[in-house]
Amino acid sequence: MAALSEGAPAGFAAPALGRNRVAVVLLAAAAVLTVAQYGGLLPAALHRVPESAVPPFAPMLDAAFNFVKDDLGLLALTRWLTEGLQWVLDVTANLLFGKRRWPNLGPIPWTAIAAVAGVVGYYLGGWRLALLGAGVFIWTALIGQWKDAMETMSVLVVAAPLAFAIGLGLGILAWKHRAVDAALRPILSALQTLPFFTYLLPAVIFFKVGPTAGAVATTIYAIPPMILMTTLGLQKVPAEVVEAGEMSGATRWQLLRHVYLPSARTEILVGVNQVIMLCLAMVVLTAFIGMPGLGAKLLSMMGSFKLGRSFEIGITIVLLAVMLDRMSKAWVVKQPVHHEKGTSWWRCHIHLVVGTVLFAAFCVLGQFVEVATEIGRRQSFSQGKLIDTWIKSFLAIDAVQAVTGFLRAFVNVQILIPFRNFLLSIPTPAFILAVMAFAMWLGGRRQAIVAGVFFGLVALSGWWDRSVITLYSVLSAVAIAALIGLPLAIAASRSERWSRRILLACDTAQTFPSFVYLIPAIMLFGITDIAVIFSILIFAMVPLIRYTVEGLRTVPAEMTEAADMAGATAMQKLWKVQLPLALPTMAVGFNQALMFAFFMVIIAAFIGTQDLGQELQRTLAGTDLGKNFVLGLCVALMALTFDLVILKWAKDRKRALGLD
Amino acid sequence: MTDQSVIAARNVWKLFGPDPKGYLAGMEAGRSFDAIRADGYIAGVKDVSIEVARGEILVIMGLSGSGKSTLVRCFSRLHEVSGGTVSIEGTDIGALSERDLIELRRSKMGMVFQSFGLLPHRTVLENVAFPLEMRGQDRHARRERALEVVKLVGLEGREDYFPRELSGGQQQRVGIARSLAIEPDIWFLDEPFSALDPLIRREMQDEFLRLQRMLSKTIVFITHDFDEALRLADRIAIMKDGGVEQCATPDEIVLNPATPYVAKFTEDVDKARVVHAGSLARRDLTGEGVPVDAKASVQDLARMLVQDARAAIPVTRNGAPIGAMPRDEALDILVGGT
Ligand SMILES: Nc1ncnc2c1ncn2[C@@H]1O[C@H](COP(=O)(O)OP(=O)(O)OP(=O)(O)O)[C@@H](O)[C@H]1O
Ligand SMILES: [Mg+2]
């Protein structure tokens, strides 16, 4: 075998066979090592990387950071940037919730904001969006969460435009210059797998605790998709449109400004939608670094186990998310429509006129009627206590108790914990070999090598056990999500109507900030291991179902018809035709489920875990930047390994099936 | 190059592939299209030399993929040529700086695109005014001019529509209007009427000829439709695999096809409609009796040719005799016996 792969031509003769064989060899080696460990034959140094062999990554990173921070004067620069950002944030804070800062105008009455949201909704998507827009703000005010929501919004309205502008600029650069593109791509994919805690601490250190750090972390988090969508949109501008611009004598700048950017409108607006949604998800999470707002409120309510209030806040966050998503998506599809000749100016701008008038009217009204400006804690309609009792009585129902009890007792004790212990019992080198075998089998030699390097680095980080526990949570949650989600998706994909419904539900669920997925988990299972798995599971199930339905629905009709003509039963058709063809798309969904799970597992640290997330969360309290990065990179390296291998497989498979 | 020629292409090559210039430099002369393709290059334009005189309409024809659009893009330097030179009014446009090229396009050239190339976010009027806006003309002046050309192509009342709200034919007319907005001297049209229904197409052709009589631009016109070519062309260039097989007047192409490919291409054409008395006239012959006009096609003369008994019929151009046409030759063409 070794000789074969040295002699290149012979090795290439049967690549698939060779690949599988190598995978089996790797797996066998892993098994041998594990058995040796069980028999007590393995020296301790081969079981785990000994403490003494762990390179001092964290202190090294710390030194590097300190060098950049102090010696290169980055800190001075960022502190200077902070001032500017701080000033903008103060303005929005004053306007939205009346923080005592310049321009000392606020707070804008909630009625005025709700009215404007209604008009914007109407402009973008008719009555339904108008109702949604106004309704969400009315709900927020009535339930007594106006101030929290506005604290969140005051950061969002700064971070989202900032992320948009930076993303657009970098996107244009990456499209113009191949070198920028090549440099950005790996950074982007790493950024997208880096756990969010890793964004938070540097933000705190460089930009001080509070809204500024929150805004910076949020902005950085939301930039990557904007870059990708901008480049994509610019590349897709039809050649003839560009040539028409050139023939019109446009200069380079005119081409960009008047031809490229407007023609890439759709993709850029899709980017805007993603920026807004990511900003919202992140701004809620900045609660972990003490940013006030809905996230902080939710965190403290869950911490003190006030489930009713948590539930209400969760609903508010979800409603805000749905509203922002629907509105920005409506903007994507909104096409300009001409006005008949001779239409007066104010008829052409009716929405602007009505919006302004309503806004002014409610601002004036707010001067005289207090409730139109602010609804105090006493006057709100919050039903926290009542919902608490409802939840408690629901959980007390025998059937419910039996189910949760069974899940806790059986699934957790009989399956999950043994699985975890098994993973922990595998010696580190064996584990790495097994991962390499997996990568070899699905991806190929390159993927196997990268997997080995990545997991090797994790082993050297000194956080192996916690990494394995993180991986265990991710794998078991995704496995259970697949067990539940796949049959559901397959069943739904059989009818057009159900597919549509379930896709809509998934799309909606995907817009929820990840934080709210903790609420049902804690409600049902309290502060337990199974709550962690449960929250990851529901979060990861969404892409799994989505892509499965999509994969099955987009199997070309002629192929299923051919199966029908061959007299296949529905079952045969599913197994022999539809599933194999849908598999590459499903794999993409599976991959996304894994990425979501890696993201969620860190958030779930809040519930109390023994994994990397827990340690990461701890670093936030101090200034352990080096350790924070090492932990974050452990998560990112594991996530990237899966990402690399599965996407490679999906791509190969798609090409082999001619589905490109 | 005569001082009359506005566009002059000399040995123009356009190759698509990884390193066109390098490949072309090392390539031996006379390599065929297929051989070039085997080397991993597509010869969009292959060694084309052609001149277009001031005020002339050159029609380019050829099958799909024969390189028509590519050749016209070389004329306007939308494509950088891989070899050879293109001169506009005596200046090599390949050597122009970016500024000069933009200036040339702003002042001299107009182009109508095969799939319109309209800007989706601009109204009809804004699309038409776009070249003027690029030139920096003030809002009022460009609006006036745009309204004028929009009217010219018959889109009055739709000025505020967006491209997506128009039919294919209407969109094409916006493209035509836009290309006319700056009053170009040189006008490139890539299948401009292909999206129009036959009735409107005919109308637009008449309109086009009327415009041409009025403005007398230098025009390069691509079409798939032989009838259209015959109505409009001063000369026709027939392309195959990136090369020009023949470039001549319609009569010449039909009467003396240069290659078997051209002969096959024009096989189904009703020659009686193409060939004019003028091209059949021989200087050495003299005829008697009532002369015919050089611009009359054989078909126009059908009744007379059949009834007449003269062996040679005198032909005049603008009233002056230019020779005589042998009647049997004309009759052969009429019955398709050539
Ligand atoms: N940008 C490009 N890159 C690579 N190949 C190209 C490019 N543009 C054109 N070609 C190739 O050059 C050849 C000529 O294309 P061209 O568009 O000039 O054909 P055409 O004669 O205009 O055809 P049609 O009548 O379909 O418009 C085709 O084989 C085409 O595939
Ligand atoms: Mg073409």
Side-chain angles (χ1 to χ4, degrees):
Chain A
M1 193 63 229
L4 264 184
S5 47
E6 311 264 273
F12 281 121
L17 186 71
R19 216 165 82 181
N20 285 347
R21 234 185 250 169
V22 176
V24 169
V25 170
L26 286 170
L27 203 60
V32 169
L33 280 173
T34 311
V35 170
Q37 156 74 16
Y38 288 168
L41 298 171
L42 207 65
L46 273 183
H47 177 48
R48 287 285 184 270
V49 178
E51 289 279 328
S52 55
V54 173
F57 285 127
M60 270 154 54
L61 279 171
D62 265 335
F65 278 124
N66 285 335
F67 175 73
V68 175
K69 197 174 81 178
D70 303 329
D71 298 348
L72 291 186
L74 191 64
L75 194 61
L77 175 73
T78 54
R79 285 280 146 99
W80 179 75
L81 284 177
T82 313
E83 309 254 302
L85 201 56
Q86 182 75 53
W87 184 82
V88 182
L89 284 167
D90 278 343
V91 172
T92 59
N94 172 260
L95 293 178
L96 289 175
F97 61 92
K99 190 175 174 190
R100 280 182 211 290
R101 280 288 167 8
W102 188 87
N104 286 318
L105 291 175
I108 297 169
W110 67 270
T111 40
I113 291 182
V116 171
V119 175
V120 172
Y122 185 78
Y123 169 69
L124 289 172
W127 281 113
R128 292 170 65 157
L129 275 190
L131 269 176
L132 182 68
V136 168
F137 283 108
I138 293 174
W139 153 278
T140 312
L142 292 185
I143 205 80
Q145 285 160 4
W146 186 257
K147 181 146 185 283
D148 296 314
M150 286 307 115
E151 279 172 339
T152 301
M153 291 303 262
S154 73
V155 176
L156 187 79
V157 296
V158 175
L162 204 58
F164 166 77
I166 299 175
L168 190 70
L170 287 176
I172 292 171
L173 281 181
W175 162 75
K176 269 241 153 104
H177 306 285
R178 195 173 282 263
V180 178
D181 189 44
L184 274 180
R185 248 162 222 288
I187 300 179
L188 291 187
S189 52
L191 273 185
Q192 280 180 324
T193 50
L194 219 52
F196 71 102
F197 279 141
T198 315
Y199 289 82
L200 291 181
L201 190 59
V204 169
I205 289 181
F206 285 105
F207 295 90
K208 291 198 238 166
V209 184
T212 330
V216 170
T218 305
T219 304
I220 296 178
Y221 185 67
I223 288 174
M226 189 68 222
I227 299 181
L228 295 178
M229 290 313 296
T230 305
T231 340
L232 186 74
L234 290 174
Q235 280 163 353
K236 269 173 58 178
V237 176
E240 285 213 338
V241 174
V242 179
E243 288 175 333
E246 287 180 33
M247 284 308 287
S248 301
T251 59
R252 283 176 200 213
W253 165 248
Q254 284 175 322
L255 265 186
L256 181 66
R257 163 83 182 72
H258 295 288
V259 177
Y260 276 110
L261 287 179
S263 303
R265 176 185 180 276
T266 306
E267 282 76 16
I268 291 178
L269 286 184
V270 169
V272 168
N273 167 267
Q274 296 189 0
V275 163
I276 295 178
M277 299 325 288
L278 283 182
C279 276
L280 183 66
M282 188 64 178
V283 85
V284 172
L285 288 173
T286 51
F288 284 101
I289 51 170
M291 243 280 301
L294 286 173
K297 203 52 171 250
L298 181 56
L299 202 59
S300 80
M301 287 299 151
M302 282 200 295
S304 52
F305 221 67
K306 288 188 183 145
L307 293 179
R309 293 277 285 157
S310 312
F311 187 72
E312 285 177 353
I313 299 170
I315 298 231
T316 308
I317 296 176
V318 163
L319 282 175
L320 272 176
V322 169
M323 177 198 70
L324 289 171
D325 182 57
R326 289 287 140 81
M327 286 210 184
S328 48
K329 276 198 182 133
W331 193 18
V332 175
V333 293
K334 185 160 180 66
Q335 296 284 351
V337 177
H338 72 275
H339 291 280
E340 280 314 318
K341 259 223 170 100
T343 320
S344 58
W345 181 90
W346 73 271
R347 280 239 20 114
C348 291
H349 301 86
I350 185 78
H351 299 105
L352 186 66
V353 173
V354 172
T356 319
V357 168
L358 280 180
F359 183 79
F362 278 112
C363 282
V364 172
L365 183 72
Q367 297 294 315
F368 304 107
V369 189
E370 175 118 23
V371 282
T373 306
E374 238 176 325
I375 292 189
R377 204 140 152 48
R378 296 275 125 65
Q379 298 148 308
S380 75
F381 294 94
S382 169
Q383 298 296 336
K385 291 257 161 54
L386 187 64
I387 299 176
D388 263 350
T389 28
W390 283 352
I391 294 171
K392 291 222 176 81
S393 50
F394 172 74
L395 288 179
I397 298 172
D398 282 345
V400 177
Q401 231 171 9
V403 173
T404 53
F406 162 80
L407 287 176
R408 262 187 242 179
F410 179 74
V411 177
N412 198 25
V413 175
Q414 302 293 323
I415 301 176
L416 292 178
I417 294 182
F419 177 52
R420 188 182 80 178
N421 292 341
F422 166 68
L423 286 183
L424 282 171
S425 73
I426 300 174
T428 308
F431 205 107
I432 297 175
L433 282 175
V435 172
M436 286 177 75
F438 165 78
M440 187 79 202
W441 175 53
L442 282 184
R445 188 137 49 108
R446 239 194 93 208
Q447 278 67 25
I449 294 170
V450 173
V453 172
F454 280 9
F455 269 77
L457 282 171
V458 173
L460 286 177
S461 74
W463 296 103
W464 179 260
D465 281 352
R466 283 185 185 267
S467 300
V468 170
I469 296 177
T470 306
L471 197 58
Y472 140 79
S473 303
V474 166
L475 290 181
S476 28
V478 171
I480 301 175
L483 278 180
I484 304 171
L486 292 186
L488 212 67
I490 291 171
S493 73
R494 313 194 69 119
S495 99
E496 177 75 35
R497 210 162 43 141
W498 275 104
S499 304
R500 245 197 340 252
R501 279 186 196 161
I502 212 156
L503 281 179
L504 183 70
C506 286
D507 277 345
T508 310
Q510 212 156 21
T511 63
F512 298 172
S514 43
F515 209 10
V516 302
Y517 285 87
L518 286 180
I519 302 173
I522 292 187
M523 269 187 196
L524 287 175
F525 299 103
I527 308 280
T528 58
D529 255 13
I530 197 132
V532 173
I533 302 276
F534 184 79
S535 63
I536 305 173
L537 178 156
I538 45 180
F539 191 51
M541 193 128 83
V542 176
L544 213 55
I545 293 183
R546 210 199 120 103
Y547 279 88
T548 306
V549 172
E550 226 166 70
L552 287 172
R553 297 297 304 178
T554 49
V555 168
E558 62 264 36
M559 302 211 183
T560 49
E561 275 158 16
D564 282 336
M565 290 310 291
T569 63
M571 237 9 196
Q572 283 172 324
K573 198 166 78 179
L574 179 68
W575 282 107
K576 301 268 161 27
V577 182
Q578 287 168 314
L579 276 181
L581 283 170
L583 214 53
T585 310
M586 288 166 67
V588 173
F590 194 73
N591 184 51
Q592 210 175 73
L594 278 169
M595 296 306 120
F596 277 32
F598 271 110
F599 184 82
M600 194 67 194
V601 73
I602 305 297
I603 299 175
F606 169 73
I607 302 180
T609 50
Q610 293 151 16
D611 60 8
L612 293 166
Q614 196 63 26
E615 280 296 323
L616 261 171
Q617 208 178 334
R618 250 177 243 159
T619 62
L620 288 185
T623 49
D624 270 346
L625 205 52
K627 181 172 157 199
N628 175 282
F629 253 77
V630 170
L631 292 166
L633 283 176
C634 283
V635 181
L637 288 172
M638 291 194 293
L640 273 176
T641 308
F642 284 102
D643 190 53
L644 211 67
V645 172
I646 296 177
L647 287 187
K648 168 81 168 29
W649 181 84
K651 202 169 124 203
D652 286 352
R653 195 75 206 138
K654 262 198 183 143
R655 185 166 316 138
L657 291 171
L659 292 175
D660 262 342
Chain B
M1 181 179 64
T2 62
D3 55 359
Q4 279 292 309
S5 74
V6 174
I7 307 171
R10 278 216 217 102
N11 305 100
V12 168
W13 284 82
K14 177 67 194 175
L15 296 176
F16 296 105
D19 174 26
K21 286 209 165 125
Y23 174 78
L24 196 61
M27 191 188 73
E28 80 268 24
R31 207 163 165 74
S32 76
F33 181 84
D34 292 319
I36 292 173
R37 185 158 64 188
D39 294 337
Y41 290 83
I42 298 276
V45 170
K46 202 172 116 241
D47 198 13
V48 169
S49 297
I50 217 169
E51 287 185 15
V52 189
R54 187 171 302 283
E56 186 186 25
I57 303 181
L58 174 73
V59 171
I60 303 181
M61 295 198 69
L63 297 180
S64 194
S66 57
K68 306 181 294 292
S69 300
T70 310
L71 179 61
V72 168
R73 281 184 167 78
C74 291
F75 289 166
S76 56
R77 205 178 148 190
L78 283 172
H79 283 331
E80 298 289 342
V81 294
S82 317
T85 55
V86 175
S87 306
I88 301 285
E89 294 181 338
T91 5
D92 176 5
I93 58 167
L96 288 181
S97 69
E98 193 176 317
R99 286 254 315 270
D100 293 340
L101 181 65
I102 286 176
E103 199 36 56
L104 178 73
R105 286 175 178 162
R106 283 183 179 178
S107 57
K108 288 240 164 72
M109 290 179 173
M111 180 154 175
V112 179
F113 290 89
Q114 195 168 0
S115 38
F116 324 141
L118 300 182
L119 297 168
H121 59 287
R122 285 173 169 245
T123 62
V124 169
L125 204 63
E126 288 165 345
N127 259 295
V128 173
F130 186 69
L132 304 173
E133 190 182 331
M134 294 301 101
R135 284 213 293 213
Q137 216 151 11
D138 75 85
R139 188 180 286 270
H140 190 72
R142 66 182 191 236
R143 197 184 147 80
E144 290 286 292
R145 171 68 188 151
L147 279 172
E148 210 173 287
V149 262
V150 165
K151 197 165 161 196
L152 193 70
V153 296
L155 280 177
E156 295 156 278
R158 312 258 154 140
E159 292 90 352
D160 296 325
Y161 281 49
F162 287 92
R164 151 188 78 75
E165 299 174 311
L166 299 172
S167 73
Q170 290 169 332
Q171 290 184 28
Q172 188 57 292
R173 282 192 264 171
V174 179
I176 294 171
R178 175 177 61 189
S179 71
L180 283 177
I182 60 151
E183 302 181 65
D185 296 336
I186 305 168
W187 201 14
F188 301 112
L189 299 107
D190 194 347
E191 302 193 28
F193 304 149
S194 57
L196 307 179
D197 60 76
L199 228 73
I200 308 229
R201 178 192 298 217
R202 180 102 194 164
E203 224 168 78
M204 292 293 290
Q205 287 166 359
D206 289 337
E207 187 62 34
F208 175 82
L209 285 172
R210 192 180 63 80
L211 273 174
Q212 173 61 0
R213 271 193 293 273
M214 232 161 59
L215 309 171
S216 107
K217 299 180 185 312
T218 305
I219 294 173
V220 179
F221 190 111
I222 298 177
T223 180
H224 270 291
D225 178 355
F226 217 98
D227 285 328
E228 187 166 84
L230 292 178
R231 292 197 68 202
L232 309 179
D234 289 322
R235 278 189 305 152
I236 297 179
I238 293 182
M239 290 190 73
K240 176 186 178 243
D241 290 346
V244 171
E245 295 275 302
Q246 186 174 12
C247 178
T249 61
D251 303 57
E252 179 76 12
I253 284 190
V254 173
L255 290 175
N256 304 312
T259 66
Y261 180 79
V262 175
K264 204 160 156 42
F265 198 84
T266 55
E267 192 173 58
D268 295 331
V269 178
D270 179 3
K271 296 194 172 76
R273 284 181 47 217
V274 181
V275 178
H276 296 90
S279 54
L280 288 177
R282 286 203 212 135
R283 236 169 244 291
D284 52 338
L285 279 182
T286 46
E288 314 238 306
V290 193
V292 296
D293 189 65
K295 282 195 197 126
S297 72
V298 172
Q299 192 177 40
D300 295 338
L301 303 173
R303 180 178 294 269
M304 176 210 157
L305 286 171
V306 174
Q307 289 173 354
D308 212 305
R310 290 173 286 176
I313 302 169
V315 180
T316 58
R317 172 165 284 143
N318 301 329
I322 57 165
M325 147 177 96
R327 191 172 69 100
D328 50 351
E329 258 181 49
L331 274 174
D332 276 346
I333 289 171
L334 189 62
V335 298
T338 317

